[in-house]
Amino acid sequence: MKYISTRSSSERLSFESVFIKSLADDGGLFLPETDYKFNEKDFLKMQNMSYYELATEIIHKFTGDFIQKDHLHKLVKKSYSSFRSEDVVKLRQVGKFNILELFHGPTLAFKDIAMQLIGNFYEYYLSKNENFINIIVATSGDTGAAAIDAIKGKKNLNIFVLHPHNRISSVQRRIMSTVKEKNVFNIAIEGNFDDCQNLVKAMFVDQNFSKKINMSGVNSINWARIVAQTVYYFFCFFSLKSKKLNFSVPTGNFGDIYAGYLAKKMGLPIDKLIVATNQNDILHRAISKGDYTSKKVSETFSPSMDIQIASNFERLIFEIQGRNSDKTKDIMVKVKENNYKLDDTSLSKIKKDFLSEKLNEEETINEIKDVFEKHNIVLDPHTAIGYGAAKKLEQDNNCVILSTAHPSKFPEAIKNALGKNEELPKDLRKVLKEEEKFEILENSLDKVKNYILNKVNENKN
Ligand SMILES: *Cc1c(COP(=O)(O)O)cnc(C)c1O
Protein backbone atom coordinates (compact mmCIF):
# COMPACT_ATOMS: atom_id res chain seq x y z
CA MET A 1 0.00 0.00 0.00
CA LYS A 2 1.27 3.45 -0.95
CA TYR A 3 0.33 6.74 0.65
CA ILE A 4 -0.40 10.23 -0.63
CA SER A 5 -0.75 13.61 1.07
CA THR A 6 -4.09 15.40 1.30
CA ARG A 7 -2.41 18.44 -0.26
CA SER A 8 -0.66 16.87 -3.24
CA SER A 9 -1.22 13.56 -4.91
CA SER A 10 2.00 13.36 -6.89
CA GLU A 11 4.33 11.78 -4.34
CA ARG A 12 3.71 8.18 -3.26
CA LEU A 13 5.24 7.09 0.03
CA SER A 14 5.72 3.84 1.94
CA PHE A 15 4.18 3.13 5.32
CA GLU A 16 7.60 3.51 6.88
CA SER A 17 8.06 7.10 5.65
CA VAL A 18 4.49 7.99 6.52
CA PHE A 19 4.95 6.65 10.04
CA ILE A 20 8.29 8.37 10.65
CA LYS A 21 7.31 11.67 9.01
CA SER A 22 3.82 11.87 10.52
CA LEU A 23 3.09 15.14 8.66
CA ALA A 24 3.68 15.46 4.90
CA ASP A 25 6.32 17.95 3.74
CA ASP A 26 3.58 20.04 2.16
CA GLY A 27 1.77 20.30 5.51
CA GLY A 28 -0.90 17.79 4.49
CA LEU A 29 -1.89 14.51 6.14
CA PHE A 30 -1.21 11.06 4.75
CA LEU A 31 -3.87 8.69 3.44
CA PRO A 32 -3.69 5.42 1.52
CA GLU A 33 -3.72 5.93 -2.22
CA THR A 34 -6.66 3.54 -2.48
CA ASP A 35 -9.05 2.23 0.17
CA TYR A 36 -8.67 -1.29 1.49
CA LYS A 37 -11.82 -3.34 1.91
CA PHE A 38 -12.25 -6.74 3.58
CA ASN A 39 -14.50 -9.27 1.85
CA GLU A 40 -17.03 -11.66 3.34
CA LYS A 41 -14.49 -14.45 3.67
CA ASP A 42 -12.14 -12.18 5.60
CA PHE A 43 -14.99 -11.31 7.95
CA LEU A 44 -15.76 -14.97 8.62
CA LYS A 45 -12.11 -15.55 9.41
CA MET A 46 -11.81 -12.52 11.67
CA GLN A 47 -14.93 -13.00 13.76
CA ASN A 48 -13.39 -15.44 16.22
CA MET A 49 -9.94 -13.94 16.47
CA SER A 50 -8.35 -12.75 19.70
CA TYR A 51 -7.63 -9.03 19.96
CA TYR A 52 -3.97 -9.75 19.14
CA GLU A 53 -4.73 -11.77 16.04
CA LEU A 54 -7.27 -9.26 14.85
CA ALA A 55 -4.87 -6.36 15.38
CA THR A 56 -2.17 -8.18 13.41
CA GLU A 57 -4.60 -8.99 10.59
CA ILE A 58 -5.87 -5.43 10.24
CA ILE A 59 -2.69 -3.48 10.84
CA HIS A 60 -0.67 -5.63 8.45
CA LYS A 61 -2.91 -4.52 5.57
CA PHE A 62 -1.49 -1.04 6.03
CA THR A 63 2.13 -1.65 6.94
CA GLY A 64 3.16 -3.37 3.71
CA ASP A 65 6.78 -4.45 3.71
CA PHE A 66 7.63 -2.39 6.78
CA ILE A 67 7.29 -5.50 8.92
CA GLN A 68 6.59 -9.20 8.44
CA LYS A 69 3.29 -10.45 9.74
CA ASP A 70 4.66 -12.83 12.38
CA HIS A 71 6.97 -10.16 13.71
CA LEU A 72 4.08 -7.70 13.83
CA HIS A 73 2.16 -10.25 15.88
CA LYS A 74 5.02 -10.35 18.38
CA LEU A 75 5.09 -6.57 18.66
CA VAL A 76 1.32 -6.45 19.13
CA LYS A 77 1.55 -8.95 21.98
CA LYS A 78 4.42 -7.11 23.59
CA SER A 79 2.59 -3.79 23.25
CA TYR A 80 -0.44 -4.96 25.18
CA SER A 81 1.31 -7.11 27.77
CA SER A 82 1.14 -4.31 30.36
CA PHE A 83 -2.63 -3.81 29.94
CA ARG A 84 -4.96 -4.46 32.86
CA SER A 85 -7.44 -6.28 30.64
CA GLU A 86 -6.62 -9.57 28.98
CA ASP A 87 -8.54 -8.64 25.83
CA VAL A 88 -6.93 -5.17 25.82
CA VAL A 89 -10.41 -3.57 25.91
CA LYS A 90 -13.59 -4.39 27.86
CA LEU A 91 -17.25 -4.23 26.94
CA ARG A 92 -19.81 -3.39 29.57
CA GLN A 93 -23.54 -2.82 29.33
CA VAL A 94 -24.66 0.39 31.05
CA GLY A 95 -28.34 1.13 30.70
CA LYS A 96 -29.31 0.51 27.12
CA PHE A 97 -25.85 1.26 25.76
CA ASN A 98 -22.72 -0.80 25.51
CA ILE A 99 -19.63 0.92 26.75
CA LEU A 100 -16.33 -0.02 25.18
CA GLU A 101 -13.65 0.61 27.78
CA LEU A 102 -10.41 1.58 26.10
CA PHE A 103 -8.54 2.77 29.17
CA HIS A 104 -6.93 -0.35 30.59
CA GLY A 105 -3.43 0.57 29.41
CA PRO A 106 -0.57 1.95 31.52
CA THR A 107 -1.69 5.62 31.50
CA LEU A 108 -5.45 5.09 31.72
CA ALA A 109 -6.61 6.53 28.39
CA PHE A 110 -7.35 5.03 24.98
CA LYS A 111 -4.21 6.69 23.65
CA ASP A 112 -2.17 3.82 25.13
CA ILE A 113 -3.61 1.36 22.61
CA ALA A 114 -2.00 3.06 19.62
CA MET A 115 0.95 4.54 21.43
CA GLN A 116 2.35 1.34 22.94
CA LEU A 117 2.43 -0.17 19.47
CA ILE A 118 4.03 2.94 18.00
CA GLY A 119 6.75 2.86 20.66
CA ASN A 120 7.61 -0.64 19.52
CA PHE A 121 7.43 0.41 15.87
CA TYR A 122 10.11 3.05 16.57
CA GLU A 123 12.29 0.51 18.30
CA TYR A 124 11.88 -1.88 15.39
CA TYR A 125 12.63 0.86 12.87
CA LEU A 126 15.76 1.93 14.75
CA SER A 127 16.98 -1.67 14.90
CA LYS A 128 17.12 -1.58 11.10
CA ASN A 129 18.31 2.02 10.64
CA GLU A 130 21.21 3.53 12.52
CA ASN A 131 19.71 6.73 13.61
CA PHE A 132 18.69 8.92 16.50
CA ILE A 133 15.14 10.22 16.58
CA ASN A 134 13.67 13.10 18.56
CA ILE A 135 9.95 12.88 19.03
CA ILE A 136 8.13 16.13 19.66
CA VAL A 137 4.49 16.04 20.60
CA ALA A 138 1.78 18.41 21.82
CA THR A 139 -0.70 17.12 24.34
CA SER A 140 -3.97 18.13 25.90
CA GLY A 141 -3.07 15.69 28.66
CA ASP A 142 -3.43 12.09 27.56
CA THR A 143 -1.35 11.78 24.38
CA GLY A 144 1.76 12.97 26.19
CA ALA A 145 1.41 10.50 29.03
CA ALA A 146 0.79 7.60 26.66
CA ALA A 147 3.71 8.62 24.43
CA ILE A 148 6.09 9.01 27.36
CA ASP A 149 5.19 5.60 28.70
CA ALA A 150 5.71 4.07 25.27
CA ILE A 151 9.07 5.77 24.60
CA LYS A 152 10.73 6.12 28.02
CA GLY A 153 14.04 4.32 28.30
CA LYS A 154 14.08 3.27 24.63
CA LYS A 155 17.46 3.48 22.90
CA ASN A 156 18.25 6.25 20.39
CA LEU A 157 15.03 8.10 21.11
CA ASN A 158 14.23 11.30 23.00
CA ILE A 159 10.73 12.54 23.62
CA PHE A 160 9.71 16.17 24.19
CA VAL A 161 6.13 16.76 25.31
CA LEU A 162 4.48 20.19 25.21
CA HIS A 163 1.44 20.59 27.44
CA PRO A 164 -0.58 23.75 28.15
CA HIS A 165 0.54 25.05 31.55
CA ASN A 166 -2.14 24.66 34.25
CA ARG A 167 -4.72 23.44 31.75
CA ILE A 168 -4.50 19.72 32.24
CA SER A 169 -5.60 17.78 35.28
CA SER A 170 -3.09 17.33 38.09
CA VAL A 171 -3.10 13.57 37.63
CA GLN A 172 -2.56 13.91 33.89
CA ARG A 173 0.45 16.14 34.57
CA ARG A 174 1.89 13.95 37.32
CA ILE A 175 1.77 10.81 35.21
CA MET A 176 4.08 12.62 32.77
CA SER A 177 6.24 14.73 35.06
CA THR A 178 7.21 12.02 37.54
CA VAL A 179 8.83 9.83 34.89
CA LYS A 180 12.56 9.66 35.62
CA GLU A 181 14.07 8.27 32.42
CA LYS A 182 16.67 10.58 30.89
CA ASN A 183 15.17 10.60 27.40
CA VAL A 184 11.93 12.25 28.58
CA PHE A 185 11.42 16.04 28.60
CA ASN A 186 8.25 17.78 29.72
CA ILE A 187 7.59 21.37 28.69
CA ALA A 188 4.67 23.41 30.05
CA ILE A 189 3.74 26.11 27.54
CA GLU A 190 2.14 29.32 28.77
CA GLY A 191 -0.81 29.00 26.41
CA ASN A 192 -3.54 26.57 25.42
CA PHE A 193 -3.42 23.24 23.58
CA ASP A 194 -3.83 24.81 20.15
CA ASP A 195 -0.73 26.94 20.91
CA CYS A 196 1.19 23.75 21.72
CA GLN A 197 -0.04 22.08 18.57
CA ASN A 198 0.90 25.13 16.48
CA LEU A 199 4.40 25.17 17.93
CA VAL A 200 4.91 21.53 17.00
CA LYS A 201 3.57 22.09 13.49
CA ALA A 202 5.85 25.10 13.03
CA MET A 203 8.87 23.02 14.08
CA PHE A 204 7.89 20.32 11.61
CA VAL A 205 7.61 22.61 8.61
CA ASP A 206 10.88 24.32 9.54
CA GLN A 207 12.91 21.79 7.56
CA ASN A 208 16.16 23.23 8.84
CA PHE A 209 15.22 22.48 12.40
CA SER A 210 13.33 19.23 11.89
CA LYS A 211 16.07 17.69 9.74
CA LYS A 212 18.79 18.80 12.14
CA ILE A 213 17.27 16.93 15.07
CA ASN A 214 15.71 14.14 13.00
CA MET A 215 12.28 15.07 14.30
CA SER A 216 9.36 12.69 14.35
CA GLY A 217 5.83 13.08 15.64
CA VAL A 218 3.28 10.95 17.39
CA ASN A 219 0.29 13.30 17.50
CA SER A 220 -3.07 11.90 16.53
CA ILE A 221 -2.46 12.77 12.87
CA ASN A 222 0.14 9.97 12.73
CA TRP A 223 -1.34 7.38 10.40
CA ALA A 224 -0.02 4.46 12.45
CA ARG A 225 -2.13 5.62 15.39
CA ILE A 226 -5.30 5.79 13.32
CA VAL A 227 -4.70 2.30 11.99
CA ALA A 228 -4.11 0.85 15.47
CA GLN A 229 -7.37 2.42 16.62
CA THR A 230 -9.53 0.82 13.95
CA VAL A 231 -8.93 -2.55 15.61
CA TYR A 232 -11.25 -2.01 18.58
CA TYR A 233 -14.15 -1.04 16.34
CA PHE A 234 -13.82 -4.44 14.67
CA PHE A 235 -13.27 -6.26 17.96
CA CYS A 236 -16.37 -4.66 19.45
CA PHE A 237 -18.45 -5.56 16.43
CA PHE A 238 -17.42 -9.21 16.55
CA SER A 239 -17.90 -9.40 20.33
CA LEU A 240 -21.43 -8.03 20.18
CA LYS A 241 -22.39 -10.16 17.17
CA SER A 242 -24.62 -7.39 16.08
CA LYS A 243 -25.75 -6.59 12.55
CA LYS A 244 -25.08 -2.90 12.49
CA LEU A 245 -23.70 -0.49 15.07
CA ASN A 246 -23.50 3.19 15.82
CA PHE A 247 -20.57 4.52 17.81
CA SER A 248 -20.60 7.62 19.98
CA VAL A 249 -17.07 8.99 20.24
CA PRO A 250 -15.88 11.73 22.61
CA THR A 251 -14.02 13.85 20.09
CA GLY A 252 -11.25 16.44 20.07
CA ASN A 253 -8.73 16.10 17.28
CA PHE A 254 -11.02 13.85 15.22
CA GLY A 255 -8.49 10.99 15.36
CA ASP A 256 -10.38 8.30 17.23
CA ILE A 257 -13.56 8.84 15.26
CA TYR A 258 -11.64 8.91 11.99
CA ALA A 259 -10.43 5.43 12.88
CA GLY A 260 -14.11 4.43 13.05
CA TYR A 261 -14.69 5.99 9.64
CA LEU A 262 -11.73 4.03 8.30
CA ALA A 263 -13.19 0.83 9.79
CA LYS A 264 -16.43 1.60 7.97
CA LYS A 265 -14.55 2.09 4.70
CA MET A 266 -12.94 -1.29 5.29
CA GLY A 267 -16.40 -2.82 5.28
CA LEU A 268 -17.39 -2.82 8.95
CA PRO A 269 -21.17 -2.34 9.15
CA ILE A 270 -21.22 0.94 11.01
CA ASP A 271 -24.25 3.11 10.41
CA LYS A 272 -23.51 6.41 12.14
CA LEU A 273 -20.48 7.76 13.95
CA ILE A 274 -21.47 10.31 16.56
CA VAL A 275 -19.10 13.21 17.11
CA ALA A 276 -19.57 14.12 20.78
CA THR A 277 -17.98 17.39 21.88
CA ASN A 278 -17.80 19.57 24.97
CA GLN A 279 -18.52 23.29 24.75
CA ASN A 280 -15.49 23.65 22.46
CA ASP A 281 -17.88 22.63 19.77
CA ILE A 282 -16.37 23.52 16.41
CA LEU A 283 -16.97 19.99 15.09
CA HIS A 284 -20.57 19.95 16.28
CA ARG A 285 -21.20 23.31 14.64
CA ALA A 286 -19.49 22.11 11.47
CA ILE A 287 -21.46 18.89 11.20
CA SER A 288 -24.84 20.27 12.28
CA LYS A 289 -24.75 23.53 10.32
CA GLY A 290 -21.55 23.82 8.32
CA ASP A 291 -19.88 26.39 10.57
CA TYR A 292 -16.20 25.45 10.79
CA THR A 293 -14.94 28.66 12.36
CA SER A 294 -12.93 28.40 15.53
CA LYS A 295 -13.69 30.37 18.66
CA LYS A 296 -11.55 30.87 21.73
CA VAL A 297 -10.83 27.61 23.51
CA SER A 298 -12.40 27.41 26.93
CA GLU A 299 -11.30 25.16 29.77
CA THR A 300 -13.63 22.33 30.64
CA PHE A 301 -13.88 19.22 32.79
CA SER A 302 -12.89 17.24 29.71
CA PRO A 303 -9.50 18.83 28.89
CA SER A 304 -8.51 16.24 26.30
CA MET A 305 -11.22 17.66 24.08
CA ASP A 306 -10.44 21.36 24.62
CA ILE A 307 -9.53 21.89 21.01
CA GLN A 308 -10.65 24.26 18.30
CA ILE A 309 -8.49 22.98 15.47
CA ALA A 310 -9.35 19.36 14.83
CA SER A 311 -6.32 18.35 12.77
CA ASN A 312 -7.65 15.05 11.44
CA PHE A 313 -10.72 16.74 10.00
CA GLU A 314 -8.54 17.56 6.99
CA ARG A 315 -8.66 13.88 6.09
CA LEU A 316 -12.44 13.98 5.92
CA ILE A 317 -12.39 17.23 3.95
CA PHE A 318 -10.11 15.54 1.41
CA GLU A 319 -12.51 12.59 1.14
CA ILE A 320 -15.64 14.69 0.68
CA GLN A 321 -13.87 16.81 -1.93
CA GLY A 322 -13.53 13.61 -3.97
CA ARG A 323 -9.88 13.27 -2.89
CA ASN A 324 -8.99 16.46 -4.72
CA SER A 325 -5.77 17.83 -3.20
CA ASP A 326 -6.01 21.26 -4.86
CA LYS A 327 -9.47 21.83 -3.43
CA THR A 328 -8.32 20.57 -0.05
CA LYS A 329 -5.36 22.92 -0.10
CA ASP A 330 -7.63 25.88 -0.86
CA ILE A 331 -9.97 24.91 1.93
CA MET A 332 -7.11 24.58 4.41
CA VAL A 333 -6.05 28.14 3.56
CA LYS A 334 -9.58 29.26 4.40
CA VAL A 335 -9.50 27.22 7.61
CA LYS A 336 -6.30 28.96 8.57
CA GLU A 337 -7.94 32.34 7.92
CA ASN A 338 -10.81 31.09 10.06
CA ASN A 339 -13.16 31.59 7.17
CA TYR A 340 -14.40 28.14 6.12
CA LYS A 341 -18.05 27.20 5.87
CA LEU A 342 -19.09 23.82 4.53
CA ASP A 343 -21.45 24.01 1.57
CA ASP A 344 -24.64 21.95 1.44
CA THR A 345 -23.19 19.26 -0.82
CA SER A 346 -20.26 18.64 1.52
CA LEU A 347 -22.54 18.71 4.52
CA SER A 348 -24.94 16.14 3.15
CA LYS A 349 -22.00 13.88 2.30
CA ILE A 350 -20.73 14.14 5.88
CA LYS A 351 -24.17 13.46 7.31
CA LYS A 352 -24.30 10.10 5.61
CA ASP A 353 -21.71 8.86 8.07
CA PHE A 354 -21.75 11.29 10.97
CA LEU A 355 -24.05 12.77 13.56
CA SER A 356 -23.00 15.23 16.25
CA GLU A 357 -23.98 16.59 19.63
CA LYS A 358 -22.41 18.62 22.39
CA LEU A 359 -22.64 18.77 26.17
CA ASN A 360 -21.91 21.86 28.21
CA GLU A 361 -20.22 21.71 31.60
CA GLU A 362 -23.39 21.38 33.62
CA GLU A 363 -24.72 18.64 31.37
CA THR A 364 -21.42 16.75 31.65
CA ILE A 365 -21.49 16.81 35.44
CA ASN A 366 -25.16 15.84 35.48
CA GLU A 367 -24.48 12.93 33.17
CA ILE A 368 -21.76 11.58 35.48
CA LYS A 369 -24.18 11.92 38.41
CA ASP A 370 -27.10 10.39 36.60
CA VAL A 371 -25.20 7.34 35.34
CA PHE A 372 -23.72 6.77 38.80
CA GLU A 373 -27.13 6.97 40.48
CA LYS A 374 -28.86 4.72 37.96
CA HIS A 375 -26.12 2.21 37.19
CA ASN A 376 -23.54 2.54 39.95
CA ILE A 377 -20.68 3.14 37.57
CA VAL A 378 -18.40 6.17 37.40
CA LEU A 379 -17.81 7.56 33.92
CA ASP A 380 -14.93 9.91 33.26
CA PRO A 381 -16.05 13.32 31.93
CA HIS A 382 -15.09 12.52 28.31
CA THR A 383 -17.03 9.28 28.30
CA ALA A 384 -19.95 11.05 29.96
CA ILE A 385 -20.06 13.37 26.95
CA GLY A 386 -20.19 10.40 24.58
CA TYR A 387 -22.95 8.90 26.69
CA GLY A 388 -24.93 12.13 26.92
CA ALA A 389 -24.63 12.77 23.19
CA ALA A 390 -26.04 9.32 22.40
CA LYS A 391 -28.94 10.01 24.76
CA LYS A 392 -29.66 13.40 23.21
CA LEU A 393 -29.70 11.80 19.78
CA GLU A 394 -32.12 9.17 21.09
CA GLN A 395 -29.92 6.25 20.17
CA ASP A 396 -31.09 2.70 20.82
CA ASN A 397 -29.22 -0.35 22.06
CA ASN A 398 -27.19 -0.61 18.87
CA CYS A 399 -25.13 2.35 20.00
CA VAL A 400 -21.72 1.78 21.55
CA ILE A 401 -20.10 4.51 23.63
CA LEU A 402 -16.32 4.65 23.45
CA SER A 403 -15.01 5.08 26.97
CA THR A 404 -11.79 6.97 26.45
CA ALA A 405 -10.36 7.41 29.96
CA HIS A 406 -10.46 6.02 33.48
CA PRO A 407 -12.36 8.35 35.84
CA SER A 408 -9.47 8.53 38.33
CA LYS A 409 -7.53 10.58 35.81
CA PHE A 410 -9.98 13.44 36.31
CA PRO A 411 -10.41 13.70 40.09
CA GLU A 412 -11.53 17.35 39.98
CA ALA A 413 -14.50 16.57 37.74
CA ILE A 414 -15.51 13.43 39.63
CA LYS A 415 -15.32 15.23 42.97
CA ASN A 416 -17.50 17.97 41.55
CA ALA A 417 -20.09 15.52 40.25
CA LEU A 418 -20.16 12.90 42.99
CA GLY A 419 -18.50 14.59 45.98
CA LYS A 420 -16.05 11.71 46.27
CA ASN A 421 -12.60 10.81 45.15
CA GLU A 422 -12.02 8.17 42.52
CA GLU A 423 -8.89 6.21 43.37
CA LEU A 424 -6.13 5.52 40.92
CA PRO A 425 -5.25 1.89 40.22
CA LYS A 426 -2.64 0.76 42.75
CA ASP A 427 0.38 0.76 40.48
CA LEU A 428 -0.20 4.42 39.58
CA ARG A 429 -0.70 5.84 43.06
CA LYS A 430 2.99 6.58 43.39
CA VAL A 431 2.68 9.48 40.92
CA LEU A 432 0.79 11.46 43.55
CA LYS A 433 3.86 11.52 45.82
CA GLU A 434 6.87 11.54 43.56
CA GLU A 435 8.81 14.65 42.63
CA GLU A 436 7.76 16.35 39.39
CA LYS A 437 10.07 17.63 36.69
CA PHE A 438 8.97 19.99 33.91
CA GLU A 439 10.15 23.22 32.32
CA ILE A 440 7.77 26.18 31.99
CA LEU A 441 8.33 28.09 28.74
CA GLU A 442 6.71 31.08 27.07
CA ASN A 443 4.56 30.45 23.99
CA SER A 444 7.52 31.34 21.77
CA LEU A 445 8.77 29.22 18.89
CA ASP A 446 12.36 30.41 19.33
CA LYS A 447 12.46 29.69 23.04
CA VAL A 448 11.05 26.21 22.58
CA LYS A 449 13.41 25.41 19.71
CA ASN A 450 16.40 26.60 21.72
CA TYR A 451 15.42 24.54 24.71
CA ILE A 452 15.06 21.44 22.57
CA LEU A 453 18.33 21.98 20.70
CA ASN A 454 20.19 22.39 23.99
CA LYS A 455 18.76 19.21 25.43
CA VAL A 456 19.41 17.25 22.25
CA ASN A 457 23.07 18.36 22.35
CA GLU A 458 23.43 17.66 26.07
CA ASN A 459 22.03 14.19 25.64
CA LYS A 460 24.50 13.45 22.86
CA ASN A 461 27.48 14.09 25.13
C1 LIG B 1 -7.60 12.35 23.20
C2 LIG B 1 -8.85 12.10 23.93
C3 LIG B 1 -10.10 12.29 23.33
C4 LIG B 1 -10.24 12.83 21.93
O1 LIG B 1 -9.75 11.98 20.95
P1 LIG B 1 -9.42 12.53 19.48
O2 LIG B 1 -8.79 11.40 18.76
O3 LIG B 1 -8.46 13.68 19.69
O4 LIG B 1 -10.69 12.99 18.89
C5 LIG B 1 -11.22 11.97 24.05
N1 LIG B 1 -11.14 11.51 25.32
C6 LIG B 1 -9.97 11.33 25.93
C7 LIG B 1 -9.94 10.85 27.33
C8 LIG B 1 -8.77 11.61 25.26
O5 LIG B 1 -7.60 11.42 25.87
Side-chain angles (χ1 to χ4, degrees):
M1 186 179 279
K2 290 284 180 194
Y3 291 87
I4 51 171
S5 157
T6 50
R7 299 192 196 178
S8 67
S9 45
S10 50
E11 211 185 357
R12 300 163 75 241
L13 287 91
S14 66
F15 175 83
E16 183 174 284
S17 333
V18 162
F19 160 55
I20 294 295
K21 276 175 178 283
S22 201
L23 189 71
D25 291 344
D26 57 24
L29 308 191
F30 294 114
L31 276 175
E33 191 177 34
T34 49
D35 289 330
Y36 184 84
K37 202 162 178 188
F38 287 115
N39 61 31
E40 230 168 279
K41 226 168 103 194
D42 298 325
F43 268 87
L44 283 176
K45 196 171 84 179
M46 291 194 294
Q47 65 185 354
N48 295 317
M49 285 184 177
S50 70
Y51 193 95
Y52 305 110
E53 291 166 332
L54 193 60
T56 308
E57 192 65 32
I58 294 169
I59 295 166
H60 195 249
K61 299 287 181 241
F62 292 94
T63 50
D65 51 15
F66 172 64
I67 185 166
Q68 299 220 313
K69 203 167 175 182
D70 53 346
H71 198 87
L72 175 63
H73 189 65
K74 274 191 204 134
L75 290 195
V76 166
K77 275 199 141 161
K78 182 175 166 200
S79 301
Y80 300 135
S81 61
S82 62
F83 277 53
R84 297 175 187 85
S85 164
E86 215 174 301
D87 284 333
V88 183
V89 301
K90 258 187 206 163
L91 261 169
R92 190 193 292 274
Q93 174 124 29
V94 178
K96 66 178 170 184
F97 301 132
N98 278 292
I99 290 200
L100 182 63
E101 293 180 353
L102 305 172
F103 55 70
H104 297 290
T107 71
L108 307 180
F110 81 92
K111 309 275 197 318
D112 285 322
I113 295 180
M115 213 62 92
Q116 286 294 320
L117 187 67
I118 278 203
N120 288 318
F121 275 6
Y122 275 108
E123 197 167 50
Y124 174 72
Y125 170 82
L126 287 168
S127 74
K128 297 192 298 179
N129 301 269
E130 265 181 75
N131 233 332
F132 197 105
I133 289 177
N134 286 288
I135 293 172
I136 304 183
V137 60
T139 185
S140 55
D142 292 330
T143 294
I148 287 173
D149 194 88
I151 301 297
K152 68 181 183 195
K154 283 201 162 45
K155 260 201 332 207
N156 297 333
L157 275 167
N158 284 330
I159 177 159
F160 294 87
V161 177
L162 281 62
H163 74 258
H165 190 37
N166 286 333
R167 287 177 187 236
I168 61 177
S169 87
S170 56
V171 174
Q172 283 182 313
R173 190 190 62 243
R174 284 183 159 277
I175 293 179
M176 300 195 286
S177 61
T178 55
V179 172
K180 307 244 165 9
E181 275 80 354
K182 285 212 177 86
N183 67 338
V184 173
F185 302 92
N186 280 291
I187 305 170
I189 297 292
E190 290 173 331
N192 59 36
F193 170 70
D194 288 335
D195 296 326
C196 297
Q197 194 165 239
N198 285 335
L199 286 166
V200 174
K201 275 193 187 159
M203 287 185 262
F204 256 112
V205 292
D206 178 348
Q207 300 280 324
N208 223 340
F209 176 82
S210 61
K211 291 231 160 75
K212 193 186 312 179
I213 65 161
N214 211 3
M215 176 174 167
S216 187
V218 294
N219 271 111
S220 67
I221 53 165
N222 191 308
W223 181 250
R225 280 184 66 184
I226 306 265
V227 167
Q229 288 169 200
T230 59
V231 177
Y232 44 74
Y233 286 91
F234 280 87
F235 188 75
C236 175
F237 174 78
F238 293 128
S239 305
L240 289 173
K241 300 185 171 37
S242 158
K243 285 211 169 59
K244 202 155 204 176
L245 291 175
N246 290 355
F247 285 93
S248 180
V249 187
T251 294
N253 231 341
F254 206 72
D256 206 10
I257 199 161
Y258 193 86
Y261 178 69
L262 180 64
K264 183 171 180 180
K265 277 152 95 52
M266 294 168 84
L268 196 71
I270 296 174
D271 186 17
K272 291 287 194 283
L273 292 154
I274 298 168
V275 175
T277 77
N278 65 25
Q279 66 197 24
N280 296 298
D281 62 348
I282 181 166
L283 285 170
H284 173 53
R285 281 185 281 116
I287 291 165
S288 56
K289 51 184 193 216
D291 173 15
Y292 195 68
T293 55
S294 72
K295 298 185 176 155
K296 207 169 163 302
V297 181
S298 61
E299 286 173 59
T300 72
F301 289 119
S302 44
S304 302
M305 291 155 47
D306 290 347
I307 290 176
Q308 284 288 318
I309 307 164
S311 305
N312 281 292
F313 200 61
E314 179 168 346
R315 290 195 159 105
L316 187 66
I317 290 174
F318 180 71
E319 297 287 0
I320 58 173
Q321 294 304 324
R323 304 194 128 225
N324 183 320
S325 50
D326 289 333
K327 281 190 191 161
T328 307
K329 215 160 38 185
D330 291 346
I331 289 173
M332 292 320 291
V333 171
K334 282 197 192 143
V335 169
K336 195 147 195 202
E337 292 163 350
N338 204 13
N339 181 27
Y340 175 51
K341 293 241 178 345
L342 291 117
D343 56 44
D344 287 346
T345 325
S346 307
L347 213 50
S348 67
K349 278 187 196 160
I350 290 180
K351 283 181 175 164
K352 268 193 212 142
D353 299 308
F354 295 93
L355 294 170
S356 71
E357 251 311 338
K358 79 158 174 185
L359 267 73
N360 65 26
E361 291 292 272
E362 196 188 338
E363 290 170 320
T364 307
I365 293 298
N366 284 340
E367 203 55 57
I368 297 173
K369 251 191 228 163
D370 188 58
V371 171
F372 182 67
E373 278 161 16
K374 290 200 177 105
H375 310 293
N376 199 27
I377 179 168
V378 181
L379 299 185
D380 99 280
H382 305 78
T383 307
I385 288 172
Y387 199 94
K391 261 168 60 179
K392 281 192 183 186
L393 289 165
E394 301 182 349
Q395 293 292 298
D396 60 20
N397 54 8
N398 278 329
C399 186
V400 177
I401 319 293
L402 296 199
S403 182
T404 47
H406 191 284
S408 64
K409 223 173 166 180
F410 303 94
E412 293 87 354
I414 302 303
K415 183 97 199 231
N416 190 311
L418 306 177
K420 64 168 195 158
N421 283 319
E422 183 65 20
E423 268 202 81
L424 282 164
K426 249 201 189 119
D427 52 318
L428 271 172
R429 279 177 215 159
K430 60 180 192 298
V431 306
L432 300 176
K433 297 199 200 90
E434 284 176 358
E435 197 194 332
E436 290 189 77
K437 215 177 115 198
F438 61 93
E439 186 84 16
I440 303 166
L441 292 181
E442 251 174 72
N443 175 17
S444 144
L445 184 58
D446 283 338
K447 295 228 160 98
V448 176
K449 277 205 257 187
N450 279 336
Y451 173 84
I452 291 173
L453 282 175
N454 279 335
K455 291 295 172 191
V456 168
N457 287 329
E458 275 174 32
N459 245 26
K460 261 187 204 149
N461 304 327

